[in-house]
Amino acid sequence: MPSTKQFRPDARHIADEDGETFESIPWEALDRLGRSGDHRRWYVIAGVIVAVAVAFSAIRSLGTADPVEIVDAPTVPVSVTTPVTTTSTIPEVITEADLMAVDIHMLERAAAGLAEAAAVEYFSAESGGIWTGVEFDPSRSTFVESATAVTVTQVAATRFEVIVAVSVLDAVDGEPFVRRPLRGVSIVVDASDGTFRPVDLPTPATLPFGSLVPATATSEIADPAAIETAMALAAPFGTVVGDSVVVATLASGEQRVAVKVVDEAGIAWPMSFPLAGS
């Protein structure tokens, strides 16, 4: 026969079943005690014990719930893109197909730049650079004031004719330099081997320039407002000579205010400005 455990009035029995804990209440002991005392007081005590037992059982049930398995999110592989450095090289031999793939304006600017540099060295009698091996006249010293490409014409797949305007000064040793009239030369530039170089020595060329047609002065005297306008416009350059202000008519019929402006060196320069209201 199963054994029966005896409980004292203040004893409690704890039984574990299926992972849950219950409290066994000593009803018999309470009943015996109740017969000698206040039944209602023990009933209240018993109710409190039952409530505590139920609450404790509920707490243990919550505390022993199966743990929630946490699964790590799958790792997404991160792809790293390494920038690829590309370099472009000029082919050793430039073909017509290569030129078709390049902006023609870039080639024209390169040809113009070479022609300007070649003109400077040529009129400076420099035989150690672009014009290596060319013999120049050493009787006078020369100085190139400016060299400007005026026109660029493509004459073949890899050739360009450049017209250059050159301003040259020359002098005998110990004498002042003399400025010569503006000169025009034609320099043919070739780029077939990947570089820009002159094909031959410069050839004289006619510059597409014209001279100024002087304005015709009239007897009309400019009004004070026109004089004030001319003085204001001339201020960044110098001071207007007051008695030089006259009205002039251009070849197109447009009227201008002709004046002389004195710069910081004291040199008077003839200039003209729009006539107010014309």
Side-chain angles (χ1 to χ4, degrees), residues 7-20:
F7 295 92
R8 293 190 302 271
D10 57 347
R12 292 183 299 171
H13 174 63
I14 306 298
D16 293 335
E17 296 181 5
D18 297 331
E20 295 184 355

Side-chain angles (χ1 to χ4, degrees):
M1 293 180 63
S3 60
T4 303
K5 293 183 179 181
Q6 301 294 324
F7 295 92
R8 293 190 302 271
D10 57 347
R12 292 183 299 171
H13 174 63
I14 306 298
D16 293 335
E17 296 181 5
D18 297 331
E20 295 184 355
T21 302
F22 299 93
E23 290 191 359
S24 296
I25 309 303
W27 298 107
E28 296 177 356
L30 290 175
D31 184 61
R32 289 195 300 270
L33 292 172
R35 285 195 296 268
S36 61
D38 188 359
H39 290 79
R40 289 181 297 178
R41 181 165 62 89
W42 288 111
Y43 289 155
V44 171
I45 295 174
V48 172
I49 294 174
V50 171
V52 171
V54 172
F56 185 80
S57 177
I59 293 173
R60 288 295 302 272
S61 297
L62 292 175
T64 59
D66 294 337
V68 178
E69 183 180 2
I70 299 177
V71 180
D72 294 334
T75 303
V76 179
V78 178
S79 60
V80 179
T81 303
T82 303
V84 179
T85 302
T86 59
T87 58
S88 58
T89 57
I90 298 177
E92 294 183 359
V93 177
I94 298 178
T95 64
E96 187 172 359
D98 295 328
L99 290 176
M100 293 294 291
V102 180
D103 184 0
I104 188 61
H105 298 296
M106 294 178 61
L107 296 175
E108 290 176 348
R109 286 195 294 270
L114 180 278
E116 291 176 347
V120 170
E121 287 197 6
Y122 180 85
F123 287 102
S124 297
E126 172 59 57
S127 60
I130 295 175
W131 306 105
T132 299
V134 177
E135 294 184 4
F136 293 100
D137 181 1
S139 62
R140 293 179 70 90
S141 299
T142 59
F143 173 78
V144 179
E145 189 174 40
S146 65
T148 306
V150 179
T151 62
V152 180
T153 305
Q154 186 175 10
V155 296
T158 61
R159 290 194 176 188
F160 301 86
E161 180 186 14
V162 184
I163 304 299
V164 184
V166 188
S167 176
V168 181
L169 288 75
D170 60 72
V172 177
D173 290 344
E175 296 183 2
F177 278 87
V178 178
R179 178 180 286 105
R180 302 303 177 181
L182 196 64
R183 299 173 181 177
V185 291
S186 169
I187 299 178
V188 178
V189 179
D190 183 76
S192 59
D193 64 350
T195 60
F196 292 85
R197 65 180 68 251
V199 173
D200 200 354
L201 295 171
T203 302
T206 302
L207 294 174
F209 296 161
S211 301
L212 172 69
V213 177
T216 302
T218 64
S219 58
E220 182 180 354
I221 303 300
D223 60 21
I227 296 176
E228 292 179 2
T229 300
M231 289 183 174
L233 294 174
F237 190 89
T239 304
V240 174
V241 179
D243 59 0
S244 69
V245 181
V246 296
V247 175
T249 304
L250 302 180
S252 61
E254 179 184 357
Q255 287 190 317
R256 309 277 287 181
V257 177
V259 298
K260 289 183 179 181
V261 182
V262 180
D263 64 12
E264 67 277 6
I267 304 174
W269 300 97
M271 293 185 173
S272 67
F273 301 92
L275 179 63
S278 64

